[in-house]
Amino acid sequence: MTGPLRERDDAQALVAGETERVRAGTGGFVLLRGATGTGRTAVLERAARHAADQGLRVLHARCSPEDTAVPFATVLQLLGPVPEFTDLVPGGDDRGSAARLWRLLRSYADEGPLLVAVDDVHLADEPSRRWLLEAARRLDRLPVLLVATERSQYDIDPRPAGLTQALSPSLVRAHTLAPLGDAAAAGIVRAAFPGAGPRWTAQCVRAGAGSPLLLHALLDDLRGAGSAPDGVPPLPATCAELYPGSYPAAVSWWLNSAGTATADVARCLAALEQAWPQDPDTDPGVLPAGAVDRGVGPGEPGGLWAGTKAGGSDDPRAGAGAGGRGASRAEAEAAGGLGPPAETYADGRAGRRAEAGAGGPGGLRGGADAGDPVDLLAEAAGADPARVAGWLAAMTRLGLLRRDASGRPRYAHPLLRDAVLTGWPRPRREAAHRAAAEASLRRGGRVEAVARHLLRTPAAGPPWALRVLRDAVTVAVHDARPADAVAYLRRALDEPLADDLRQRLLTELGSLEYASADAPAAIARLAEAQHLPAEPRNRVRTAVALGTALAARGEIRTAMDVLRRTEGRLSGHPGLARTVQAAGALLSDEDLATRQEVYRSLCETGEHTPEVLGTAGQVLLVRYGATAGLISAEEAMTRVRALLAQPSDPLAEPFLLGTAAAVAQWADELDEAERLVERGLAGQHPALLHPMQHALLNTRADIAAARGDYARLLADDRHSDTAASRTGPTNRDAHALLALVHTGRTEEAGRLAHAFDLRRAPEGWEVNRFLYARGVQRAAAGDVVGAVHDFLECGRRQTARDVVSPVVTPWRTAVAECRLALGGGQEALALATEELRLARVWNTPRTVGRALRVLGTATGGRRGLELAEDAVRTLREGPVDTGTELIEALLAQGRQLLAAGERGRARDRLREAADLAERKGAVRLLALAGQALRDSGARSPATAGTGSGALTGSERRIAELAAAGRTNTEIADLLHLARRTVETHLTSTYRKLRIRRRTELPTALGLARPLEPCPVTRD
């Protein structure tokens, strides 16, 4: 160990005081005790140098296990070569030899004061220990100071009594060296790396675990690593990355000094910890969101599902996520995910009991997540539980272990855990995990606690292993943690399986791998499952999942081929064949030519033999008729409700519900549409990939957009931050872009609008929707020509797909408004007239009112005013909230009234528009209404200047930081403002938002959940 001594002043002062007594002629005995690596040798060497400086003669001996068979080996080291003792053998005249050695020591003392330094006296041979004890009883008569170091540490195998056990306390001055404190350890780190930040320093301190030996060894390795420009190397994830390997060597020496039994327990603990859930409080490798620091330790991040919260296993193959929703037990059993009999686990979830074979462990009932760690560790290591409990307590006091939030003992740092495991044979690790799994199962541990240990055992395990792993899949899927479920399924597939069961598990695995953003692996798994024998319903599930994955990657033709081949093998199952046809029709939306081909066939069949299509196929034709401008909303809903009342196959029901929800949303039956969406989502099997999952989520976003619920549309994701990682925009990106435009977040809208290269985006209806949204953004930004280009391209693409109704993308009225801005009145009039004709076919207030508004503006004059009045009346009398359509109609009518000289009526309409815009948070429309009012000569502002849209940029930024939990002082430091300025902005914000408390900020700002606080670092 190198470097300065820290927090050892008491020990040095004790020895220095005793040294002064020896110089005065009075001897004594000082025993320095401490755990391995606490610096006993360093203190002893410092004491020897100090004594030599004070004129004492220093006799030094370092004990070793190799000397235990040689009598008086330690004493002979002290006293130097003594020829008359070269023939000593065990069992000789020890008493006579001891007397002669004592006389030799007295002769040295006669020459001057002595310091007798004995390092690691617990390793001394037995005759030397007896000699030292006897000498200690008589040292007060001689100018001799005996200073010995002794290992004092709790081990699994009890150690022999210490050196002073047989001595009177008055004869010895004992001092125990405490573990190194965090402040002292941080000082050592900063001395070695002056440029280190506090987080990197804290991680090094953790990895040092209160041991000067380990800390200096780690710093020696880090000095040998290639350093970064700031002189601070990154802290590696594993010991294999350390060079020259001083740190793992020091840990290995620490384990060896503790004995075989203790080393086994220590290594078993390190192995078992790998199977425990990650704990950010004790794992420094887990950083809070947004935190960046040099040398982050080894976290084991998991997967994400739908951008939700993190959690789960720390297995390298597992991951995290949350926020999902479970499926019905009947569906889970049908897919092979569950099996009878049912039972409730310790975590309250339903599942199958993991039955044991004859004489094997029992079922999973009650208990903690991993059982009692003492019992599990003792069983895995084959040690005495009482000694294990004592060892855990001792190591925690020393700082090598730390308790996590659940009370489990963990190594202070993952690097320390990795060092403990270094060199331990893999079969021994696997045996420890198997023993822990069996013990946890016997004690009624949670199903995932058992499964996490099974992940680290070889295949062909105990008979209950497969059942436990499948139950763990069910729990992980219900918690929306697909990456964890993937790990359990991969391990389950290593077991010997029948082909039909392997086929079901491969389908689940491929679906979950797709949810974990591993599409290539997902497609490979699903293709493998497709070629295994299975009953027809499971073949359909696999084909639909594989087709969905292929279509999402743009391989539409391949997806359709998969579905057609599956349909061809279902000649005796017409209901299942219709389900495959419905899946093909839905997936064909991603490719123009395929869609035309599929719907041509559907229309022909529906015209002559509609019963052949089934309910799912018929509702798809209703949707086609709605977008093609062939039927009215009333007729569409009548047909949809009739189809919903008919019995349908469970596999076909998702297609029926999802398509019906989309039609209901277009028909402005928003409550009914929302009920259908929730019913469809609840019926989705959480472990199977299905195209309707994405469609239902899109319809949910459509409903929020129809209601003008901008906060909900913007709450799920920071779309501008995630857009660049995707190949093309989604429908929810389009809605987010429109919401940003309406709420006046101009810069964010611009970033999202240009986040995609639409020339490289895959063909599909979602790109068309994004083109329309981008046109709205360009028009709002003043780029009218660019907006016309986007609207016309959207119209061209939609028309090619037979989507001519304005129910989805009202591009004609959008182009008409742009043409009016550019002076093209006749073309605008023609487009608006055509849109009104199509809108009257569908005949909902939203579509008709929008078309009347634009046609009125294009027509102008008295007739234009009549059309504008008709638009407002139509939208007001509609059965539902028409979002921003009424605001825009009022605004258009107000402008036309101004042009006609009717200023009083105009101001009434404009103020009504402004009030509605404020309540909706439609900042852009609010600004337009305010400008129109000013043009009318109105002196009062459009509104009272309240609502989230009334916030300035600075006010909103400060409010979001406050909503994230920042104090005023922290906000001031972060933004480099005076605290008084922050307080002033918050006061204004509270007034505008009409709130009184800080806790109301997230809701008032339209945040779905409180923002995570951004870390403020001073590195």
Side-chain angles (χ1 to χ4, degrees):
M1 184 179 70
T2 60
L5 292 176
R6 293 179 185 264
E7 294 188 335
R8 299 295 180 253
D9 293 343
D10 290 348
Q12 294 181 68
L14 172 62
V15 178
E18 293 298 310
T19 300
E20 291 301 317
R21 291 184 61 199
V22 169
R23 293 179 63 195
T26 303
F29 178 21
V30 174
L31 181 65
L32 300 174
R33 294 183 299 202
T36 300
T38 50
R40 302 186 311 266
T41 299
V43 174
L44 183 64
E45 290 174 349
R46 177 69 63 85
R49 289 196 297 272
H50 173 75
D53 292 341
Q54 297 298 314
L56 275 68
R57 179 178 180 179
V58 178
L59 306 179
H60 194 282
R62 179 169 290 125
C63 304
S64 169
E66 288 77 15
D67 296 334
T68 55
V70 180
F72 296 106
T74 300
V75 182
L76 291 174
Q77 266 195 75
L78 284 171
L79 302 180
V82 183
E84 59 195 277
F85 289 98
T86 57
D87 58 347
L88 287 176
V89 296
D93 183 12
D94 287 353
R95 292 182 63 84
S97 300
R100 283 179 284 167
L101 289 169
W102 173 251
R103 287 195 298 271
L104 183 58
L105 177 65
R106 285 180 62 94
S107 67
Y108 288 160
D110 289 341
E111 298 174 6
L114 297 176
L115 174 71
V116 177
V118 182
D119 198 13
D120 291 337
V121 72
H122 54 282
L123 299 178
D125 60 281
E126 195 55 36
S128 291
R129 285 172 61 85
R130 288 196 300 269
W131 187 90
L132 289 169
L133 282 172
E134 186 61 31
R137 295 188 179 98
R138 293 187 273 176
L139 283 179
D140 57 342
R141 308 168 196 169
L142 299 175
V144 177
L145 175 61
L146 172 60
V147 182
T149 67
E150 183 177 62
R151 182 177 179 274
S152 176
Q153 188 168 312
Y154 193 101
D155 294 318
I156 300 300
D157 284 340
R159 293 284 182 174
L163 183 64
T164 61
Q165 199 78 9
L167 283 179
S168 168
S170 63
L171 297 178
V172 59
R173 300 290 301 277
H175 181 85
T176 300
L177 301 179
L180 201 61
D182 287 352
I188 294 174
V189 174
R190 285 192 293 268
F193 294 96
R199 190 167 182 81
W200 189 89
T201 300
Q203 291 188 66
C204 287
V205 170
R206 280 249 181 138
S211 168
L213 170 73
L214 300 185
L215 181 59
H216 284 292
L218 175 63
L219 296 176
D220 287 344
D221 281 339
L222 293 175
R223 289 189 192 95
S227 60
D230 59 2
V232 180
L235 199 63
T238 66
C239 289
E241 302 174 57
L242 291 173
Y243 182 81
S246 301
Y247 182 76
V251 173
S252 177
W253 182 79
W254 168 69
L255 290 171
N256 291 336
S257 68
T260 303
T262 301
D264 282 347
V265 170
R267 288 175 171 133
C268 279
L269 174 61
L272 300 190
E273 186 186 331
Q274 290 182 309
W276 291 345
Q278 204 170 59
D279 187 272
D281 291 335
T282 56
D283 189 344
V286 183
L287 287 175
V292 178
D293 198 310
R294 168 68 64 189
V296 171
E300 295 171 341
L304 294 175
W305 198 353
T308 48
K309 68 184 180 179
S313 168
D314 70 347
D315 186 271
R317 297 172 293 177
R325 161 200 50 74
S328 67
R329 179 175 177 79
E331 292 171 327
E333 289 177 347
L338 295 171
E343 183 172 9
T344 300
Y345 293 125
D347 43 12
R349 299 178 179 89
R352 180 186 64 258
R353 176 173 177 171
E355 298 170 355
L364 294 174
R365 300 193 192 93
D369 179 47
D372 184 347
V374 172
D375 290 339
L376 292 182
L377 183 55
E379 187 148 349
D384 178 3
R387 298 296 299 180
V388 169
W391 182 82
L392 292 174
M395 294 305 102
T396 302
R397 285 196 301 272
L398 288 175
L400 290 148
L401 302 179
R402 298 184 184 227
R403 297 279 177 177
D404 65 13
S406 299
R408 282 177 293 236
R410 294 177 183 262
Y411 281 96
H413 193 278
L415 200 59
L416 176 58
R417 181 184 65 206
D418 185 67
V420 170
L421 283 173
T422 298
W424 207 35
R426 180 177 177 179
R428 186 66 186 88
R429 300 188 196 192
E430 292 172 347
H433 283 290
R434 181 184 294 239
E438 292 175 350
S440 182
L441 184 65
R442 256 195 321 274
R443 290 169 171 79
R446 294 176 186 247
V447 62
E448 286 197 88
V450 183
R452 284 193 293 265
H453 289 295
L454 291 176
L455 288 177
R456 299 173 182 273
T457 62
W464 46 264
L466 177 61
R467 293 190 288 271
V468 168
L469 289 164
R470 292 177 63 194
D471 286 340
V473 171
T474 302
V475 173
V477 167
H478 279 238
D479 282 350
R481 290 182 283 110
D484 285 345
V486 162
Y488 301 138
L489 276 171
R490 287 175 179 170
R491 174 61 182 80
L493 285 164
D494 290 340
E495 296 290 331
L497 301 171
D499 283 346
D500 60 339
L501 178 56
R502 183 173 293 276
Q503 193 270 351
R504 295 201 300 272
L505 296 185
L506 280 170
T507 301
E508 289 186 24
L509 177 56
S511 298
L512 292 168
E513 284 178 327
Y514 187 86
S516 300
D518 191 356
I523 291 173
R525 303 283 190 186
L526 293 168
E528 182 183 353
Q530 192 187 26
H531 291 94
L532 290 174
E535 61 102 8
R537 300 185 75 81
N538 285 331
R539 285 208 303 271
V540 170
R541 289 189 178 95
T542 303
V544 169
L546 179 55
T548 304
L550 289 167
R553 288 174 60 84
E555 301 177 38
I556 305 297
R557 295 289 182 179
T558 306
M560 299 303 293
D561 287 344
V562 167
L563 294 173
R564 290 191 187 102
R565 286 197 302 269
T566 303
E567 183 183 350
R569 295 197 292 268
L570 295 170
S571 55
H573 304 274
L576 295 178
R578 288 194 290 268
T579 297
V580 175
Q581 291 171 2
L586 188 66
L587 294 176
S588 71
D589 282 341
E590 302 298 327
D591 180 77
L592 176 59
T594 305
R595 186 181 192 276
Q596 291 173 336
E597 177 186 339
V598 167
Y599 276 94
R600 187 182 305 115
S601 174
L602 276 177
C603 290
E604 291 175 359
T605 305
E607 183 178 352
H608 299 99
T609 54
E611 68 279 357
V612 174
L613 295 177
T615 55
Q618 291 180 59
V619 79
L620 284 168
L621 281 181
V622 174
R623 188 188 71 163
Y624 176 81
T627 57
L630 303 177
I631 58 176
S632 68
E634 182 179 2
E635 180 186 354
M637 288 308 299
T638 299
R639 292 169 62 182
V640 163
R641 288 169 180 141
L643 291 170
L644 287 169
Q646 297 179 25
S648 62
D649 187 277
L651 289 183
E653 189 174 66
F655 298 100
L656 173 61
L657 293 172
T659 308
V663 174
Q665 182 268 315
W666 294 335
D668 281 340
E669 300 288 349
L670 300 184
D671 291 340
E672 185 172 356
E674 196 160 42
R675 287 193 296 271
L676 289 169
V677 167
E678 297 310 316
R679 182 177 160 193
L681 288 173
Q684 288 286 302
H685 191 296
L688 292 178
L689 183 60
H690 198 285
M692 196 48 72
Q693 173 83 11
H694 183 64
L696 287 165
L697 294 174
N698 276 328
T699 302
R700 177 187 276 172
D702 293 343
I703 294 168
R707 287 176 169 154
D709 191 351
Y710 305 130
R712 185 172 182 179
L713 292 170
L714 296 173
D716 292 339
D717 270 316
R718 296 287 181 176
H719 292 267
S720 58
D721 296 337
T722 59
S725 63
R726 298 193 297 270
T727 57
T730 66
N731 177 54
R732 280 174 279 176
D733 287 319
H735 283 310
L737 179 54
L738 290 171
L740 290 170
V741 171
H742 286 309
T743 55
R745 295 160 70 169
T746 308
E747 292 183 3
E748 291 179 69
R751 287 196 297 270
L752 180 55
H754 296 92
F756 302 98
D757 184 355
L758 298 188
R759 295 169 300 179
R760 298 166 51 191
E763 177 78 19
W765 66 271
E766 291 186 283
V767 174
N768 301 346
R769 290 224 179 158
F770 192 80
L771 271 168
Y772 176 81
R774 193 175 72 175
V776 173
Q777 182 272 330
R778 284 180 164 177
D783 181 10
V784 181
V785 174
V788 169
H789 175 273
D790 281 345
F791 290 139
L792 289 175
E793 179 63 13
C794 170
R796 182 191 68 77
R797 290 173 174 233
Q798 292 287 66
T799 303
R801 299 166 64 87
D802 294 332
V803 180
V804 298
S805 173
V807 68
V808 180
T809 45
W811 60 271
R812 293 178 186 84
T813 50
V815 174
E817 289 184 290
C818 291
R819 292 298 188 202
L820 287 172
L822 295 172
Q826 286 302 312
E827 185 179 357
L829 187 63
L831 287 167
T833 302
E834 174 65 9
E835 179 129 321
L836 179 59
R837 182 188 71 79
L838 291 168
R840 290 198 186 280
V841 173
W842 185 244
N843 204 31
T844 59
R846 190 189 305 272
T847 54
V848 173
R850 181 195 305 117
L852 284 170
R853 166 177 61 82
V854 178
L855 182 59
T857 303
T859 302
R862 180 56 54 186
R863 176 57 182 161
L865 269 174
E866 291 174 358
L867 290 169
E869 182 71 31
D870 197 11
V872 170
R873 182 174 57 255
T874 300
L875 290 166
R876 274 188 175 146
E877 294 175 355
V880 297
D881 179 3
T882 53
T884 61
E885 294 298 342
L886 178 56
I887 302 171
E888 295 191 72
L890 288 166
L891 186 56
Q893 186 187 17
R895 286 168 172 164
Q896 286 186 264
L897 288 168
L898 276 179
E902 300 185 39
R903 290 180 177 271
R905 289 184 63 202
R907 289 169 184 169
D908 290 341
R909 294 294 183 268
L910 293 173
R911 284 199 173 94
E912 184 181 355
D915 184 62
L916 286 173
E918 182 186 13
R919 280 189 273 157
K920 282 285 184 186
V923 175
R924 174 175 167 271
L925 294 177
L926 177 60
L928 291 174
Q931 182 60 51
L933 275 169
R934 287 189 291 274
D935 292 344
S936 73
R939 295 181 179 179
S940 59
T943 70
T946 59
S948 63
L951 299 180
T952 66
S954 297
E955 286 171 344
R956 184 169 189 91
R957 189 177 186 192
I958 290 171
E960 288 182 347
L961 288 170
R966 293 289 187 197
T967 65
N968 290 356
T969 301
E970 289 174 334
I971 297 172
D973 290 343
L974 187 63
L975 301 182
H976 305 290
L977 299 172
R979 176 171 172 162
R980 182 61 181 168
T981 303
V982 173
E983 292 170 351
T984 300
H985 279 307
L986 283 176
T987 300
S988 174
T989 298
Y990 288 0
R991 177 183 56 78
K992 291 179 179 180
L993 297 179
R994 297 173 179 171
I995 62 174
R996 295 183 178 182
R997 298 178 182 85
R998 207 181 193 93
T999 54
E1000 298 177 65
L1001 276 171
T1003 302
L1005 292 171
L1007 303 174
R1009 55 186 179 272
L1011 295 172
E1012 292 293 332
C1014 299
V1016 181
T1017 60
R1018 298 297 179 196
D1019 293 7

